[in-house]
């Protein structure tokens, strides 16, 4: 197959590679206000590899450009880009003369994108993921609306998680091997330093990588491409933080061949939009380039970004009704201050050394060596043989007492205790936060005098502690990217990349909460099974010690990519190929008491070989009207997260694990006219054989132990749910229109209509610690259920006014609909209707009400809603001789303070019909779904100075 593909490419190269006459183009780029030349402006011939940076006098020259109609793009940060339709004649150089760039007074909105849209991305539930961060680099009307307007509702472009997009810095892949997603916090707060970006939408070709079906984002931090100058800004907001300061200076390339860029930022809040969500982040950036000669340059980029933020809890409808949708159960008062028990702490500094080699006028080779290290910690409370400190623990809520059941003559009978429910309701409302003081007291013993009078407390063994689930990564990357013009009409791109990861994962004890030590045991098990490490039983641990679990993940990844792009007068097309190899291995550092034979030491190595092929064509109906089509077939290795179902405790690997198969395509009609820019796209993608792993405590599983007794006395167990063979089908339409009504008024209209469904009935298995084995529950009826986590319909209308005196204002109205609950797979298996069907009697439940069953299993659809946003800004030139400017940008999102749900998930605790029926007995469910809510009315104000 590979030989056939390469043979076809060779033949096509020979066939299409005939020499075609070429011409040239030159010009000088100047500032519209000062008429001064602009240096380091990026000038590209669209759909080719030809790119130039303007010299100190603003001049650029292209030679050997294919004759005929071409699109010349001229862009520089802080300016409105120019897209010129030029006609080149063989043997002649087209002189464009003076090309004027106007200051872009809306660029502040672009810089502040992540600030506006970030909403606890990447938390424990994958349904909270957004793709807004991937869209910073684009000016496409649809994608701009997806980021700025729809991003606050966690809208996913084409219904895809961001693991299906590629994010790179200087060609180095930033998607994590663990879950395939970029960690935006690794460069958070460095908006100025990371603003030089290229974005390819969907299946469009990238010069750097094969990419995913969502698109490719390339962040360029090469020092010489930054516009010389300095910038400082100060911002205020009421989102996830309150204040932000940033400062950046770029030197430009001096006569000795040196250029550097430095940037720093700080973001902080004592409390963000939700209660108890503290925030503190510091970021530093430096990039230094040395131009050795006309062919060789070296660039060193270093990024240090630390971030600590308190999380916000998803809550059941019962809790929201009692406390409101802004309620956060993760915090409590301590010494007069709010303290959050669920902090995410991130610091993973990186350094990238790049070598840029201009082999000749047509061939460029960029080689990078990168190293990233650091930690990610997610804190929470731990406890031994005492009451759960979570204020929303089900026994602390009234629904537990209104849904009580007692078995009478072998029949579960509803026996509610409404009096106790009222008492618990009043207690919860009065004591709805974590009681830190009570935990400190539990970790100590009272001291009395000789008369028995209380005189104080002395520390003792801690029964409550604060710990973090910690990941310490060391990642080494080396890659090379080749770009060469084979002929006037053919461009060849290629890259090769190697990544090596060592990831240490463990529990880290952060705070003994006033106690002396903590006993390293699992209180839910007895004897040897309660020991996290049989080689060091009954350990007493202190602050900073590892305990509970401790293992390494060893992984390597190799990627290779080639691409041929063919450019002609009426048609452009490309063909891309990729090969990748991923290897994963777990190395257990503890001999766990539950899995003594399968926890210590290295697991077998898991290996995946994958291929990808994609191609596309752009037919130029005219210089203004384009028809574009792309198609892909590829395979994708499962992530580390979905390879080891219970990596904290054992070396088990998902049974029958395979790579995903991805196929799809898109068709677009594009208009690029002086007043009208439009794109209409239809798309389709199919993801097959996906694997997903989740964790929860479940009841009604019918699990028995080695003696034939129900596990935990009632068949309940903490499980890892392994869903395999899951297919997903995504199709829909995208429309983006941008029309310049007058020289100062612009209108936009955007529409997204999608249908994102599960397209198979996957297999469900549970890894059950209680019985030390994986149990197969068979197929889950999930086909045609909707994929969760994103609105599947989104529409936006906007107007913007730009005054010649450098002020502007805009407004948009957005409508979002068809967002669905994340369903529980185990509830859709036969276990839901059978009475302990796999292990006990294999008998169905008696008297199943089919209408009720359909109600229980119906996927919840969230309410649709409207959001109105306002944006605007003003800038002033403070010097007529240079580009010094001062200004501000402001936005108000969700002007009418609409309350809306952005996502939610069913709890898998009730695993069968009988359990769910009992949970519905009272007015409110104990184990109903948990919901994520979006922000209400928020604002963002930014003041800046460029000099």
């Amino acid at each position: 197959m590979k030989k056939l593909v390469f043979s076809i490419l060779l033949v096509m190269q020979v066939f299409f590679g005939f020499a075609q006459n070429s011409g040239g183009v030159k010009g000088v780029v100047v500032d519209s206000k000062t008429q001064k030349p602009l240096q380091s402006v990026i000038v590209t011939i669209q759909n080719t590899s030809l790119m130039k940076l303007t010299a100190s006098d603003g001049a650029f020259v292209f030679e050997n450009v294919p004759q005929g109609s071409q699109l010349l793009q001229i862009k520089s940060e802080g300016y409105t880009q120019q897209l010129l339709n030029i006609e080149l004649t063989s043997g002649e150089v087209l002189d464009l003369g003076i090309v004027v760039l106007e200051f872009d007074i809306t660029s502040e909105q672009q810089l502040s994108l992540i600030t506006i849209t970030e909403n606890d991305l990447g938390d424990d539930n994958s349904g909270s993921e957004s793709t807004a961060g991937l869209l910073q680099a684009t000016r496409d009307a649809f994608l701009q609306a997806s980021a700025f307007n729809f991003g606050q509702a966690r809208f996913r472009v084409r219904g895809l998680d961001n693991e299906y997009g590629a994010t790179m810095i200087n060609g180095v892949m930033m998607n994590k091997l663990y879950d395939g997603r970029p960690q935006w916090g690794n460069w958070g707060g460095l908006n100025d330093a990371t603003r030089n970006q290229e974005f390819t939408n969907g299946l469009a070709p990238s010069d750097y990588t094969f990419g995913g079906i969502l698109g490719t984002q390339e962040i360029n931090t090469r020092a010489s491409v930054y516009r010389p100058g300095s910038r400082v800004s100060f911002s205020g907001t009421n989102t996830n933080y309150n204040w932000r300061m940033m400062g950046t200076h770029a030197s430009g390339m001096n006569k000795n061949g040196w250029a550097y860029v430095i940037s720093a930022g700080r973001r902080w809040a004592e409390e963000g939009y939700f209660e108890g969500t503290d925030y503190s982040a510091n970021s530093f950036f430096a990039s230094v380039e040395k131009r050795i000669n006309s062919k060789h340059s070296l660039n060193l980029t270093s990024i240090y970004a630390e971030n600590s933020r308190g999380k916000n809890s998803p809550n059941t409808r019962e809790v929201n009704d009692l406390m409101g949708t802004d309620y956060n159960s993760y915090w409590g008062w301590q010494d007069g201050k709010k303290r959050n028990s669920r902090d995410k702490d991130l610091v993973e500094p990186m350094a990238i050394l790049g070598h840029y080699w201009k082999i000749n006028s047509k061939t460029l080779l960029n080689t990078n060596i990168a190293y990233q290290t650091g930690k990610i910690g997610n804190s929470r409370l731990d406890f031994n043989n005492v009451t759960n400190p979570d204020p929303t623990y089900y026994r602390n809520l009234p629904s537990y007492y209104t849904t009580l059941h007692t078995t009478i003559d072998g029949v579960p009978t509803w026996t509610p205790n409404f009096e106790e429910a009222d008492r618990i309701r009043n207690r919860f409302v009065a004591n709805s936060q974590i009681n830190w003081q009570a935990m400190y007291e539990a970790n100590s013993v009272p001291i009395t005098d000789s008369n028995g009078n209380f005189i104080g407390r002395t520390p003792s063994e801690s029964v409550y502690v604060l710990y973090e689930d910690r990941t310490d990564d060391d990642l080494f990357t080396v890659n090379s990217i080749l770009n060469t013009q084979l002929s006037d009409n053919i461009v060849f791109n290629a890259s090769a990349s190697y990544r090596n990861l060592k990831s240490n994962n463990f529990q880290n004890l952060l705070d003994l909460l006033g106690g002396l030590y903590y006993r390293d045991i699992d209180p839910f098990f007895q004897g040897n099974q309660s020991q996290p490490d049989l080689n060091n039983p009954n350990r007493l641990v202190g602050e900073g010690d590892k305990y509970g679990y401790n293992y390494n993940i060893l992984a390597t990844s190799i990627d290779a990519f080639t691409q041929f792009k063919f450019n002609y007068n009426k048609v452009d097309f490309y063909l891309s190929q990729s090969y990748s190899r991923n290897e994963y291995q777990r190395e257990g550092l503890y001999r766990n008491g539950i899995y003594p034979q399968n926890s210590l030491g290295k697991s077998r190595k898991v290996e995946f070989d994958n291929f990808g092929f994609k191609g596309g064509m752009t037919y130029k109906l005219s210089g203004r009207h384009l028809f574009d089509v792309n198609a892909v077939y590829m395979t994708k290795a499962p992530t580390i997260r979905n390879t080891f179902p219970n990596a904290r405790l054992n070396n088990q690997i998902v049974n029958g694990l395979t790579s995903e198969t991805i196929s799809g395509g898109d068709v677009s009609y594009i208009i690029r006219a002086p007043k009208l820019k439009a794109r209409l796209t239809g798309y389709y993608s199919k993801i097959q054989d996906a694997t997903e792993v989740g964790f929860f405590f479940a009841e009604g599983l019918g699990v028995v132990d080695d003696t034939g007794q129900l596990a935990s006395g009632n068949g309940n167990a903490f499980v890892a749910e392994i869903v395999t063979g899951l297919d997903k089908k995504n199709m829909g339409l995208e429309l983006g229109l941008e029309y310049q009504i007058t020289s100062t008024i612009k209108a936009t209209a955007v529409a997204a209509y999608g249908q994102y469904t599960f397209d198979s009935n996957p297999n469900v298995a549970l890894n059950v610690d209680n019985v030390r084995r994986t149990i197969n529950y068979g197929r889950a009826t999930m086909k045609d259920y909707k994929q969760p986590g994103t609105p599947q319909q989104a529409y936006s209308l906007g107007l913007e006014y730009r005054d010649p005196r450098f002020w502007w204002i805009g407004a948009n109205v957005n409508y979002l609909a068809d967002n669905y609950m994340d369903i529980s797979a185990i509830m859709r298996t036969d276990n839901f209707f059978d009475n302990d069907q796999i292990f006990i009697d294999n008998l169905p439940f008696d008297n199943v009400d089919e209408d009720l069953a359909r109600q229980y299993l119906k996927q919840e659809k969230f309410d649709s809603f409207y959001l109105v946003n306002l944006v605007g800004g003003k800038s002033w030139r403070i010097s007529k001789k240079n580009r010094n400017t001062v200004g501000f940008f402001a936005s108000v999102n969700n002007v009418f303070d609409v309350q809306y749900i952005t996502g939610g998930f069913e709890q898998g605790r009730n695993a069968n019909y009988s359990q769910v029926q009992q949970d519905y007995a009272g007015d409110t469910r104990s184990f109903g779904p948990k919901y994520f809510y979006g922000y209400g009315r928020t604002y963002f104000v930014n003041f800046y100075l460029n000099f």
Side-chain angles (χ1 to χ4, degrees):
M1 180 65 182
K2 287 188 288 184
K3 291 182 179 179
L4 175 62
V5 171
F6 288 123
S7 298
I8 292 173
L9 288 173
L10 183 60
V11 170
M12 293 184 72
Q13 180 178 339
V14 173
F15 183 75
F16 289 103
F18 58 87
Q20 189 179 61
N21 294 330
S22 59
V25 60
K26 66 179 182 178
V28 176
V29 182
V30 302
D31 182 285
S32 64
K33 187 74 173 179
T34 66
Q35 294 299 306
K36 284 192 172 184
L38 294 176
Q39 184 179 0
S40 299
V41 175
I42 301 172
V43 186
T44 57
I45 306 294
Q46 294 288 282
N47 303 312
T48 76
S49 64
L50 300 176
M51 187 272 285
K52 297 286 186 180
L53 294 177
T54 56
S56 58
D57 60 356
F60 67 90
V61 178
F62 284 100
E63 299 175 349
N64 299 319
V65 180
Q67 70 172 7
S69 180
Q70 298 288 351
L71 288 172
L72 182 75
Q73 184 187 62
I74 304 172
K75 63 180 183 179
S76 180
E77 60 181 74
Y79 289 91
T80 302
Q81 73 175 27
Q82 290 267 35
L83 189 64
L84 305 178
N85 193 354
I86 59 177
E87 194 73 29
L88 298 180
T89 304
S90 174
E92 297 182 5
V93 176
L94 176 64
D95 189 351
L96 298 177
I98 301 297
V99 180
V100 176
L101 287 188
E102 294 184 353
F103 181 63
D104 184 4
I105 54 179
T106 67
S107 62
E108 294 307 307
Q109 182 183 17
Q110 191 81 354
L111 279 178
S112 303
L113 172 62
I114 295 299
T115 300
I116 296 172
T117 61
E118 185 181 27
N119 191 3
D120 293 341
L121 306 182
D123 278 348
D124 300 330
N125 183 273
S126 62
S128 67
E129 286 295 329
S130 167
T131 54
L134 189 68
L135 308 179
Q136 292 184 84
T138 177
R139 287 291 183 179
D140 178 272
F142 174 83
L143 297 177
Q144 284 278 291
S146 298
F148 290 102
N149 303 331
F150 306 154
Q152 57 194 309
R154 294 176 178 171
F155 176 78
R156 293 179 181 174
V157 175
R158 302 187 182 183
L160 296 169
D161 187 277
N162 56 35
E163 70 170 289
Y164 293 99
T167 299
M168 295 173 290
I169 297 180
N170 297 346
V172 176
M173 188 66 68
M174 291 291 109
N175 296 57
K176 293 285 190 179
L177 286 169
Y178 172 71
D179 61 5
R181 300 183 180 112
Q183 182 64 250
W184 308 113
N186 285 156
W187 54 91
L190 296 170
N191 305 55
D192 293 340
T194 58
R195 66 188 300 176
N196 295 317
Q197 300 185 16
E198 297 177 43
F199 180 78
T200 57
N201 183 31
L203 300 176
S206 166
D207 293 345
Y208 306 94
T209 183
F210 186 84
I213 57 175
L214 179 59
T216 303
Q217 178 187 31
E218 158 65 10
I219 301 172
N220 188 347
T221 64
R222 186 177 178 182
S224 60
V225 304
Y226 289 81
R227 186 181 63 198
S230 301
R231 170 188 170 84
V232 293
S233 64
F234 183 80
S235 309
T237 180
N238 67 332
T239 55
N240 53 341
Y241 56 84
N242 296 148
W243 308 104
R244 184 188 75 180
M245 294 189 301
M246 291 196 303
T248 303
H249 174 72
S251 69
M253 186 66 70
N254 66 21
K255 62 181 181 180
N256 296 320
W258 286 95
Y260 69 88
V261 181
I262 55 174
S263 184
R266 171 158 174 76
R267 296 164 291 165
W268 73 97
E270 290 189 9
E271 183 173 73
Y273 183 86
F274 293 101
E275 291 184 332
T277 53
D278 55 301
Y279 197 103
S280 178
N282 298 293
S283 308
F284 305 93
F285 171 93
S287 182
V288 180
E289 181 175 351
K290 170 59 179 174
R291 182 176 295 166
I292 300 172
N293 52 43
S294 61
K295 291 184 178 293
H296 296 275
S297 290
L298 289 175
N299 191 93
L300 177 64
T301 294
S302 58
I303 299 175
Y304 179 90
E306 61 174 359
N307 182 301
S308 177
R309 62 178 177 86
K311 297 181 183 180
N312 182 55
S313 62
N315 299 311
T316 62
R317 197 172 298 278
E318 175 187 23
V319 172
N320 288 329
D321 289 344
L322 290 171
M323 301 302 302
T325 58
D326 292 342
Y327 169 70
N328 180 10
S329 67
Y330 291 160
W331 68 272
W333 292 100
Q334 181 179 350
D335 297 330
K337 295 183 179 180
K338 293 179 179 179
R339 181 180 183 183
N340 198 310
S341 65
R342 299 283 189 99
D343 278 342
K344 179 174 182 178
D345 295 298
L346 165 72
V347 54
E348 293 186 305
M350 70 180 82
I352 304 172
L353 177 64
H355 172 237
Y356 298 86
W357 181 14
K358 185 178 181 181
I359 298 175
N360 54 47
S361 61
K362 296 182 178 181
T363 304
L364 302 173
L365 180 66
N366 172 213
T367 300
N368 299 284
I369 298 174
Y371 178 69
Q372 184 176 21
T373 187
K375 65 178 183 178
I376 300 177
N378 290 278
S379 69
R380 62 191 306 160
L381 293 168
D382 198 4
F383 49 95
N384 278 340
N385 298 309
V386 286
T387 304
N388 191 326
D390 181 1
T392 60
Y393 180 57
Y394 72 99
R395 290 178 180 267
N396 295 333
L397 297 172
S399 59
Y400 173 72
Y401 299 93
T402 60
T403 58
L404 282 174
H405 280 70
T406 303
T407 301
I408 301 176
D409 295 329
V411 178
T413 304
W414 183 38
T415 55
N417 186 338
F418 293 110
E419 182 178 344
E420 184 65 9
D422 287 338
R423 188 184 71 82
I424 293 298
R425 179 183 294 106
N426 294 331
R427 188 183 72 177
F428 173 72
V429 172
N431 303 277
S432 56
Q433 303 302 146
I434 290 174
N435 191 334
W436 290 100
Q437 183 60 35
M439 288 188 287
Y440 274 83
E441 291 179 0
N443 292 343
S444 62
V445 294
I447 305 173
T448 59
D449 59 20
S450 57
N451 296 321
N453 298 316
F454 175 79
I455 59 174
R457 309 188 72 90
T458 185
S460 62
E461 175 181 345
S462 292
V463 290
Y464 292 102
V465 294
L466 184 72
Y467 79 96
E468 64 179 347
D469 292 308
R470 177 84 161 267
T471 299
D472 289 2
D473 282 355
D474 288 290
L475 176 65
F476 173 79
T477 304
V478 59
N479 76 343
S480 283
I481 303 170
L482 177 71
N483 186 304
T484 183
Q485 185 93 28
L486 297 177
S487 71
D488 289 345
N489 309 98
I490 303 174
V491 174
F492 176 68
N493 306 113
S495 71
S497 175
Y498 170 81
R499 289 194 286 174
N500 182 276
L501 170 70
K502 181 179 180 181
S503 177
N504 184 209
N505 299 262
F506 56 93
Q507 281 185 230
N508 178 43
L509 204 157
L510 295 173
D511 191 343
L512 287 167
L513 303 182
L516 296 174
Y517 56 84
Y518 189 62
R519 197 173 300 276
D520 186 14
I521 60 171
D522 188 335
F524 296 99
F525 292 89
Q526 302 296 321
N528 285 343
Q529 292 187 19
S530 69
Q531 297 297 325
D533 186 8
L534 287 173
N535 293 344
N536 295 280
N538 298 311
R539 280 200 315 148
L540 303 179
V541 294
E543 294 175 2
D545 287 343
K546 298 178 180 180
Y547 78 105
Y549 65 87
N550 188 7
Y551 66 94
N552 290 327
I553 291 293
L554 310 173
T556 59
S557 175
I558 300 172
D559 291 275
F561 149 75
T562 60
Q563 179 171 270
F564 294 86
K565 295 196 294 187
F566 304 84
N567 304 302
Y568 297 94
N569 288 338
K570 296 294 291 184
V571 63
D572 300 335
F573 63 95
Y574 72 94
L575 293 169
S576 301
Q577 312 81 37
S578 72
Y579 165 76
S580 65
R581 181 178 179 85
N582 289 53
E583 298 180 351
Y584 310 142
Q585 189 173 34
R586 179 189 185 272
E587 180 185 26
L589 304 178
Y590 285 176
R591 187 163 71 94
N592 185 269
I594 305 173
Y595 302 97
Q597 307 302 321
N598 189 31
S599 53
L600 184 65
K602 292 184 178 180
S603 71
R604 67 179 175 88
K605 188 175 291 186
V606 191
E607 301 170 346
F608 303 96
D609 290 290
N610 293 281
F611 298 88
F613 303 94
K614 73 175 180 179
M617 179 188 72
T618 301
Y619 181 72
K620 307 166 190 175
L621 301 171
S622 69
R624 298 180 178 182
H625 298 267
L626 307 173
F627 179 78
D628 185 75
V629 60
N630 301 277
V632 67
Y633 178 86
M634 61 183 292
T635 58
K636 174 179 173 292
T639 61
I640 294 171
R641 171 190 170 91
N642 293 324
T643 298
F644 303 97
N646 199 356
R648 293 183 178 183
L649 301 186
N650 63 44
N651 283 335
Q652 182 180 335
I653 295 165
V654 169
N655 187 38
L657 186 65
T658 61
S659 294
E660 296 179 8
T661 300
I662 302 172
S663 57
D666 57 47
V667 179
S668 299
Y669 176 63
I670 302 167
I671 300 175
R672 294 172 179 166
K675 289 190 175 183
L676 175 65
K677 295 181 178 63
R679 176 173 65 86
L680 174 64
T681 298
Y683 60 87
Y684 173 89
S685 66
K686 181 74 174 288
I687 301 171
Q688 296 173 280
D689 292 324
T691 300
E692 295 183 356
V693 176
F695 302 89
F696 54 88
F697 186 86
E699 297 180 355
L701 295 175
V703 177
V704 297
D705 58 25
D706 295 335
T707 67
Q709 299 297 314
L710 284 171
S712 300
N714 53 12
N716 306 337
F718 183 81
V719 301
E721 181 184 69
I722 308 161
V723 179
T724 56
L726 180 61
D727 296 351
K728 303 175 184 180
K729 183 168 64 176
N730 295 41
M731 54 185 173
L733 295 172
E734 298 172 346
L735 173 65
L737 296 172
E738 184 180 293
Y739 185 72
Q740 198 73 41
I741 300 173
T742 69
S743 61
T744 57
I745 300 175
K746 180 175 68 176
T748 57
V750 167
Y753 183 85
Q755 183 173 301
Y756 317 136
T757 59
F758 295 117
D759 202 43
S760 68
N761 293 322
N763 191 77
V764 178
L766 300 182
N767 180 259
V768 186
D769 293 338
N770 302 54
V771 294
R772 293 178 289 184
R773 65 175 183 268
T774 298
I775 302 164
N776 188 12
Y777 279 76
R779 296 289 176 180
T781 306
M782 293 175 59
K783 184 175 171 61
D784 296 329
Y785 275 90
K786 303 292 187 178
Q787 294 178 41
T790 179
Q792 301 196 15
Q793 290 191 57
Y795 307 92
S796 179
L797 290 174
L799 279 176
E800 179 184 288
Y801 174 78
R802 293 194 187 195
D803 192 273
R805 291 177 292 256
F806 294 100
W807 66 268
W808 66 283
I809 188 170
N812 55 76
V813 180
N814 310 281
Y815 174 75
L816 298 108
D818 289 3
N819 194 359
Y820 291 86
M821 177 71 66
D822 191 356
I823 62 173
S824 165
I826 187 64
M827 287 179 61
R828 272 78 186 172
T829 64
D830 288 342
N831 181 77
F832 186 77
F833 291 105
D834 287 4
N835 183 16
D836 305 329
Q837 53 95 19
I838 297 178
F839 308 102
I840 310 298
D841 301 320
N842 197 29
L843 295 175
F845 290 110
D846 294 329
N847 303 318
V848 171
D849 187 318
E850 293 185 4
D851 290 336
L852 279 179
R854 278 192 290 269
Q855 175 186 325
Y856 298 157
L857 297 177
K858 182 180 179 180
Q859 187 176 21
E860 182 177 349
K861 179 180 178 180
F862 305 136
D863 292 339
S864 57
F865 54 92
Y866 288 92
L867 296 176
V868 176
N869 303 326
L870 297 176
V871 294
K874 168 70 175 162
S875 68
W876 295 267
R877 295 272 191 176
I878 56 178
S879 173
K880 293 183 178 180
K881 296 183 179 180
N882 53 43
R883 297 179 50 260
N884 294 355
T885 58
V886 63
F888 74 92
F889 159 80
S891 72
V892 180
N893 278 4
N894 192 2
V895 172
F896 297 106
D897 200 23
V898 174
Q899 184 183 100
Y900 60 97
I901 296 173
T902 62
F905 58 95
E906 291 179 343
Q907 297 190 70
R909 181 165 185 137
N910 294 316
N912 65 35
Y913 174 85
S914 178
Q915 295 285 342
V916 175
Q917 188 178 38
Q918 293 176 30
D919 197 36
Y920 270 98
D923 294 333
T924 308
R925 299 181 61 188
S926 288
F927 302 109
K930 290 192 172 184
Y931 300 91
F932 296 95
Y933 281 82
Y935 292 140
R937 184 186 302 110
T938 60
Y939 67 86
F940 181 87
V941 181
N942 183 48
F943 297 90
Y944 62 92
L945 171 66
N946 295 323
F947 58 97

